[in-house]
Amino acid sequence: MSQSVTVIGLGPMGQAMAAAYLDRGYEVTLWNRTASRADALVARGAKLAATPEQALSANELVILSLIDYDAMYGVLEGAEEAVAGRVLVNLSSDTPEKARAAARRVAELGGTHLTGGVLSPPPGIGSPDMSTFYSGPRAAYDQHRAALEVITGKTDYRGEDPGLAALMYQLNMVVFWPAMLSYWQAVALADAHGLTAADIAPYVSENFAGMGQFIDFYAARIDAGNHAGDVDRLSMGVASMEHVVHTNADSGVDTAFPRAVLDAFHRGADAGFGADSFSSVIKLMKKQP
Ligand code: NDP
């Protein structure tokens, strides 16, 4: 088991990861474009490398936590020779195609690339309950699994294809960002009526907590090709979303986000799905044969 690690990229995520390794007694080497972000970690005993090359040379296991994959190429420029023999665990967000291209590039340089997608905000890093997707060479994952479990206690290895972990992460982001935006919309509407974010938080949380039942119910029906309007009808969804848009408009609140939802419902109704479930809108979203 590796007891030393390099962390490159010290945004909130990279800082939390480096801190988690220090908590577990690892020797931690750091590099960040803005060196001052390492100050608190160096005060705790981490070593700050002067260059990416030094950071790569310090340890076999190198964690990358950058804004995106293009940033990785910038960091590696001039340090290419130091990649040989290293396992680069890239926990930066990007597309599956970018992850595959990065894996090819790292392999060309004689290194190993593991793609990761962390399902935790910075405060959850180091927690046994949080989880991270990984994909890439199984042997590298197995070899460094204990060290990866320092970042999140749960790891979910998806397969050899370096794009898979990125795909699973992006699938989660497809749901996460709009879901949170729907909460921001509710906060803006509540604010127009003198209610705070905290006032509505319990109701929104309860709403989100109940979503699992909807997902399970619709998943089975969708996979069976069943979009029957026996439980809900898209025409009802159109009317309901119109009420949402009008309530926001009447309150002087921006309506761009609810209008985007209403537009998708209208397109479903225009396609003839008005009497079917609102899940039939998926048919318009899918890649067309
Ligand atoms: P930040 O944007 O705060 O940090 C990004 C890091 O990338 C910084 O270290 C920054 O350096 C570095 N960076 C950006 N551009 C370049 C560049 N051109 N060259 C070199 N370094 C560069 O992100 P987070 O720490 O919040 O997140 C890191 C990754 O983790 C992202 O891909 C994010 O999507 C993902 N993620 C974030 C979560 C979160 O809740 N924050 C949750 C799950 C995943 P500098 O300090 O010099 O600006």
Side-chain angles (χ1 to χ4, degrees):
M1 186 179 103
S2 173
Q3 288 296 333
S4 65
V5 64
T6 289
V7 179
I8 293 180
L10 296 175
M13 290 294 276
Q15 289 190 27
M17 291 170 193
Y21 281 115
L22 288 171
D23 289 346
R24 300 287 187 92
Y26 277 67
E27 279 183 29
V28 180
T29 300
L30 307 169
W31 186 85
N32 193 51
R33 180 179 62 177
T34 308
S36 59
R37 286 200 220 284
D39 288 352
L41 294 158
V42 169
R44 288 192 55 199
K47 292 180 217 154
L48 179 62
T51 61
E53 188 178 12
Q54 283 181 15
L56 286 161
S57 301
N59 292 298
E60 182 192 354
L61 181 61
V62 178
I63 308 292
L64 299 176
S65 177
L66 299 164
I67 184 87
D68 57 21
Y69 271 61
D70 287 343
M72 178 193 83
Y73 293 108
V75 169
L76 294 186
E77 209 175 315
E80 287 87 349
E81 286 188 5
V83 173
R86 301 290 168 254
V87 175
L88 271 55
V89 180
N90 200 332
L91 303 177
S92 316
S93 164
D94 219 315
T95 66
E97 278 311 310
K98 291 263 189 168
R100 291 183 185 115
R104 285 193 295 271
R105 179 65 183 141
V106 170
E108 274 170 18
L109 296 173
T112 302
H113 181 278
L114 263 183
T115 310
V118 187
L119 296 180
S120 169
I125 296 301
S127 156
D129 302 327
M130 293 296 178
S131 185
T132 302
F133 294 119
Y134 289 100
S135 70
R138 173 96 213 190
Y141 166 77
D142 286 340
Q143 186 192 341
H144 293 288
R145 187 169 174 177
L148 300 178
E149 285 172 352
V150 172
I151 295 172
T152 59
K154 295 180 194 163
T155 60
D156 189 348
Y157 178 76
R158 305 303 302 185
E160 295 277 334
D161 172 0
L164 287 175
L167 174 65
M168 294 307 296
Y169 179 77
Q170 294 307 326
L171 282 167
N172 273 269
M173 291 304 100
V174 164
V175 174
F176 176 79
W177 291 118
M180 290 307 289
L181 194 61
S182 72
Y183 176 46
W184 301 166
Q185 181 77 40
V187 169
L189 178 60
D191 177 73
H193 297 275
L195 296 167
T196 66
D199 286 336
I200 66 166
Y203 306 101
V204 176
S205 291
E206 198 174 329
N207 195 337
F208 279 3
M211 282 296 168
Q213 290 172 36
F214 285 94
I215 308 288
D216 292 344
F217 174 76
Y218 283 107
R221 289 167 65 111
I222 291 164
D223 286 345
N226 176 7
H227 296 283
D230 55 336
V231 175
D232 74 275
R233 283 154 57 92
L234 179 59
S235 55
M236 176 276 288
V238 170
S240 179
M241 273 315 297
E242 278 174 350
H243 306 154
V244 171
V245 170
H246 292 151
T247 302
N248 280 276
D250 292 350
S251 308
V253 170
D254 183 82
T255 58
F257 185 56
R259 277 191 287 109
V261 179
L262 178 58
D263 177 62
F265 284 11
H266 273 311
R267 285 188 287 123
D270 291 348
F273 306 142
D276 299 336
S277 167
F278 78 138
S279 65
S280 56
V281 169
I282 292 166
K283 291 190 251 180
L284 302 178
M285 294 171 155
K286 275 186 175 177
K287 183 175 174 180
Q288 300 302 315

